[in-house]
């Protein structure tokens, strides 16, 4: 299959491009390297020493004999450039990672809210408009987020995208299937719920074939392909903006820093290992919707855990302490979460469990590169609103967050 | 009340600014005059001879002794400029019309889709982010559209924004209230459903006070204030992109052109007179939500009609013929529509009915300015997708659409 990976230099995009190439697909990457520029803006770097894109791609060819083309281009701004790639290279599928993907980053300031909305929505609309313009029947797989569901399921499992509800009519209550009602918790998550409306529209109006993968929080760093050569290593973020919760705990444990749990840690979240992410994307590309189908939505996650239970797990594994900090996010302290994920399991996904994979991750990445960590960058310094910011300043049980944030 | 009208030079924005000023409010307008530039792009002009903004504002002061400030600024691009107006002028309310508002225009080409998404979503997000940044408790009233509901009500009346549904839980089916499921019919309508998610988020996260007015199709041109002086005249669009259905029929009748009904004309739509629009907006500003409330949604419409019945009404009034053309829109040929609008009626709105107002409109505007009409601009030359475009080329019962479209 000829597959264009948009955002193929990022944390999920890079290992996806390699995995698809390793499986024998023809892969090309489109990326503007914005993720590397955000590292510079935030004054942070990946815990792992990532190579520049040219070195990465040369190492891939050296290791495997396979070639991945690279197009430096901003999806959402350079529409003509994107359309030119589609009409000349004629991909059969596209994977769309070309969005700003961190909730705390999207909430840092008005400028970060503006960047996230502008970047993500124009990117998705440009991709869809370009597919229509090209006249090609390209299957688009997009990385969404479990966060579009808003964690409000009243004890029922979150279905895969659509919810059966009953609505009142003159003939009584009748069943209808609707897009799961959105209740996003950040500007970033909100853009993904807005993406869902773009997909719904283009699938209906232009019969585009679209798969939206609502992914859980990704943990882990390496895949079979990124382990082939150190120049292929994937990025590992542990900072307060881009570091997802489990990776943050691992690096905190490795450097002897308390595991920082926001609020009670009663937030239940869905998780998936990065190796499973790349497998899921290939499975999604192998099982596309038919032309005229509605958007195919799959929940791309394998386990649900409470944040405090994860902290407990990492603490038992490593001996690290646990510290409770005020939650910077405007969200409920405690929530239940049950998620339907039968589709990807049905296509043959065999999940890597936290219980099996966590220790490898802790030693392979967190301990090995611990000396590269900048402890000052670990706390989350984005606050969802003025009240949450004030709460963070007045309470700091560890005494470390405020210092580190300065 | 100190009220900032964003998009105050447009078809609804201009008469709203005048009405609010006439009611004794302090009014300022922000506009980048993009609607006038789109006239130039399309090679069309308002049927009525509208004055430039400086002349309009001078005429208003001359006629009433009142002053309306004007800030030339692109909402959604010049964030710092917008924030500066908020912090220095400190409005108590804002009315947000600063969006591209024509469905056919939004579907003309990839570039028009891109412009509509980029303009509308960045505008709305900038307005919301700037209110948060300003620290002011500004009430925002936004002009939405009945089109967010997607006309799929299975015989029940469309409620005001929120729908009570039953969802299945381990304890059985329980009632929940959700934002009405969106099913937009064009890129333009889609941006309004995406706006609704922006409003939901900022109301929840930042306790902004927001009213979203889901407006029907506006007919008519003049209000009590725009009639005071010919330099205050409101714009009247009759072209295939911006001309709404009833105004198009009126000008077609006035120039002896057949009334062009798309498809069977069985589409039922909600309508409101422009004079009622401006009254509704003042009523909405007088009845704001409280801080911490969810978004207040009201349906701003007064009557529902089938398009073919409207054509019949205009035909009987004027003697014009009716011509059926292929529908350029991807939509159902026939639909029912019942709409709840008790809130604005409860605040005292006394609607102007089509039966009462249509003849005045036909004589005051359509016949009076008929010699300014460019007949070649009447047909809708935007097609929702390739199939609709092909259908339009192969079938043209009047023989005029194709000629005019060339």
């Amino acid at each position: 299959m000829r597959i264009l990976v948009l955002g193929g230099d990022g944390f999920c995009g890079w290992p996806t491009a390699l995995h698809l190439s390793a499986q024998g697909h023809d892969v090309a990457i489109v990326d503007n390297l914005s993720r590397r520029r955000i590292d510079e803006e935030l004054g942070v770097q990946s815990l792992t020493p990532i190579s520049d894109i040219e070195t990465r791609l040369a190492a891939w060819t050296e290791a495997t004999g396979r070639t991945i083309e690279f197009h430096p281009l901003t999806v959402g701004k350079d529409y003509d450039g994107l359309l030119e790639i589609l009409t000349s290279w004629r991909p059969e599928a596209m994977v769309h990672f070309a969005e700003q993907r961190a909730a705390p980053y999207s909430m840092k300031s008005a400028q970060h809210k503006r960047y996230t909305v502008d970047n993500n929505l124009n990117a998705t609309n440009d991709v869809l408009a370009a597919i229509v313009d090209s006249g090609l029947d390209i299957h688009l797989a997009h990385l969404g987020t479990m966060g579009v569901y808003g964690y409000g399921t009243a004890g029922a499992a979150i279905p895969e995208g659509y919810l059966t509800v009953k609505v009142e009519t003159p003939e009584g209550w009748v069943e209808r299937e609707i897009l799961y009602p959105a209740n996003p918790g950040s500007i970033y998550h909100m853009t993904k719920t807005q993406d869902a409306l773009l997909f719904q529209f283009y699938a209906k109006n232009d019969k585009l074939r679209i798969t939206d993968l609502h992914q859980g929080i990704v943990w882990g760093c390496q895949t079979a392909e990124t382990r082939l050569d150190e120049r292929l290593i994937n990025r590992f973020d542990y900072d307060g903006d881009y570091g997802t919760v489990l990776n943050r705990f691992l690096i905190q444990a490795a450097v002897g820093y308390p595991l920082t749990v926001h609020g009670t840690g009663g937030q239940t979240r869905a998780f998936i290992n990065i190796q499973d992410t790349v497998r899921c994307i290939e499975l999604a590309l192998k099982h596309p919707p038919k032309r005229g189908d509605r958007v195919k939505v799959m929940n791309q996650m394998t386990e649900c855990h409470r944040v405090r239970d994860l902290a407990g797990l990492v603490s038992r594994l490593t001996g690290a302490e646990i510290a409770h900090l005020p939650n910077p996010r405007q969200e409920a302290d405690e929530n239940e979460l049950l998620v339907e994920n039968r589709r990807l399991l049905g296509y043959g996904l065999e999940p890597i469990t936290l219980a099996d994979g966590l220790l490898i991750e802790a030693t392979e990445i967190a301990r090995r590169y611990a000396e590269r960590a900048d402890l000052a960058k670990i706390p989350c310094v984005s606050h969802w609103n003025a009240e949450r910011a004030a709460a963070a300043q007045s309470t700091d049980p560890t005494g470390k967050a405020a210092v580190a944030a300065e």
Side-chain angles (χ1 to χ4, degrees), chain A:
Chain A
M1 212 184 300
R2 226 167 17 259
I3 306 167
L4 192 63
V5 180
L6 308 174
D9 184 50
F11 170 59
C12 290
W14 173 243
T16 296
L18 296 191
H19 180 72
L20 294 172
S21 178
Q23 300 301 307
H25 303 292
D26 286 334
V27 176
I29 287 174
V30 171
D31 203 302
N32 65 354
L33 309 181
S34 59
R35 185 66 192 84
R36 294 172 188 256
R37 284 198 300 277
I38 290 174
D39 273 350
E40 288 166 23
E41 174 203 337
L42 299 175
V44 301
Q45 57 179 1
S46 164
L47 186 74
T48 49
I50 55 172
S51 303
D52 61 61
I53 185 77
E54 292 78 12
T55 305
R56 280 181 155 186
L57 294 171
W60 180 243
T61 301
E62 211 178 289
T64 64
R66 300 189 62 80
T67 303
I68 296 176
E69 253 185 83
F70 171 61
H71 302 276
L73 183 151
T74 299
V75 180
K77 301 294 174 196
D78 183 0
Y79 178 80
D80 294 339
L82 179 65
L83 183 59
E84 166 61 24
I85 295 169
L86 298 198
T87 52
S88 61
W89 197 62
R90 302 175 70 86
E92 295 156 87
M94 289 165 83
V95 190
H96 174 24
F97 295 103
E99 298 187 285
Q100 194 294 103
R101 63 109 177 138
Y105 185 83
S106 76
M107 298 301 292
K108 287 184 97 63
S109 74
Q111 295 307 332
H112 294 85
K113 294 173 190 174
R114 299 181 69 228
Y115 169 73
T116 303
V117 166
D118 182 57
N119 183 79
N120 292 7
L121 297 176
N122 282 318
T124 299
N125 187 49
D126 270 17
V127 168
L128 294 163
I131 295 175
V132 174
D133 246 6
S134 75
L136 299 168
D137 184 22
I138 299 169
H139 173 213
L140 178 69
H142 169 256
L143 270 285
T145 165
M146 288 296 303
V148 299
Y149 296 117
Y151 307 115
T153 51
I158 289 181
E160 303 207 63
Y162 299 91
L163 181 67
T164 299
V165 299
K166 290 183 179 174
V167 298
E168 197 169 17
T169 73
E171 286 78 44
W173 290 83
V174 300
E175 285 195 6
R176 279 179 60 190
E177 214 172 16
I178 60 171
L179 260 182
Y180 198 95
N183 184 23
S186 74
I187 290 287
Y188 154 73
H189 289 101
M190 192 198 58
T191 61
K192 297 284 187 168
T193 69
Q194 293 171 309
D195 281 343
L197 295 172
L198 278 156
F199 297 137
Q200 179 193 42
F201 177 74
Y202 280 92
K204 177 177 71 168
N205 193 68
D206 301 283
K207 299 193 172 61
L208 295 197
R209 295 185 298 126
I210 302 169
T211 299
D212 204 2
L213 298 164
H214 288 328
Q215 188 166 247
I217 298 173
V218 181
W219 63 277
C221 174
Q222 295 278 63
T223 63
E225 293 79 22
T226 63
R227 285 192 184 93
L228 288 177
D229 185 305
E230 190 160 12
R231 291 169 296 168
L232 298 174
I233 201 165
N234 196 20
R235 58 180 303 131
F236 183 105
D237 299 306
Y238 64 93
D239 63 281
D241 285 302
Y242 279 86
T244 53
V245 57
L246 198 57
N247 285 358
R248 179 158 50 85
F249 287 165
L250 290 174
I251 186 62
Q252 288 174 322
V255 300
Y257 195 95
L259 311 181
T260 48
V261 172
H262 295 150
T264 64
Q267 310 93 329
T268 307
R269 294 290 181 267
F271 292 88
I272 184 168
N273 183 269
I274 185 74
Q275 178 70 64
D276 287 340
T277 288
V278 304
R279 286 183 185 140
C280 283
I281 289 163
E282 201 204 5
L283 291 171
L285 295 181
K286 283 185 169 166
H287 298 87
K290 292 192 297 294
R291 203 165 162 82
D293 284 357
R294 69 180 182 184
V295 178
K296 182 173 184 176
V297 183
M298 298 194 278
N299 292 335
Q300 185 162 304
M301 51 67 67
T302 61
E303 328 176 41
C304 288
H305 296 282
R306 284 192 191 272
V307 171
R308 64 168 167 257
D309 296 337
L310 287 181
L313 185 63
V314 175
S315 174
R316 282 193 299 281
L317 207 67
T318 62
E321 286 172 49
I322 296 172
H324 287 267
L325 293 184
N327 192 350
R329 300 189 185 213
Q330 180 72 23
E331 66 182 4
D333 270 348
E334 304 269 334
N335 70 284
E336 302 287 337
L337 184 62
L338 291 164
V339 181
E340 191 57 72
N341 65 343
R342 268 179 277 194
R343 293 182 95 157
L344 284 162
L345 295 178
Y347 295 152
L349 179 69
E350 292 174 12
I352 294 167
T353 62
L354 266 169
D356 290 340
L358 197 57
L359 195 58
I360 297 170
E361 200 60 41
T363 53
E364 183 183 61
I365 299 297
R367 284 184 203 151
R368 177 159 174 206
Y369 295 105
E371 84 285 353
R372 286 173 50 90
D374 177 354
L375 304 195
K377 298 301 183 183
I378 294 177
C380 181
V381 292
S382 282
H383 299 288
W384 260 234
N385 54 35
E387 284 169 35
R388 297 278 172 169
Q393 286 186 331
S394 64
T395 327
D396 181 1
T398 67
K400 290 189 182 179
V403 174
E406 273 161 13

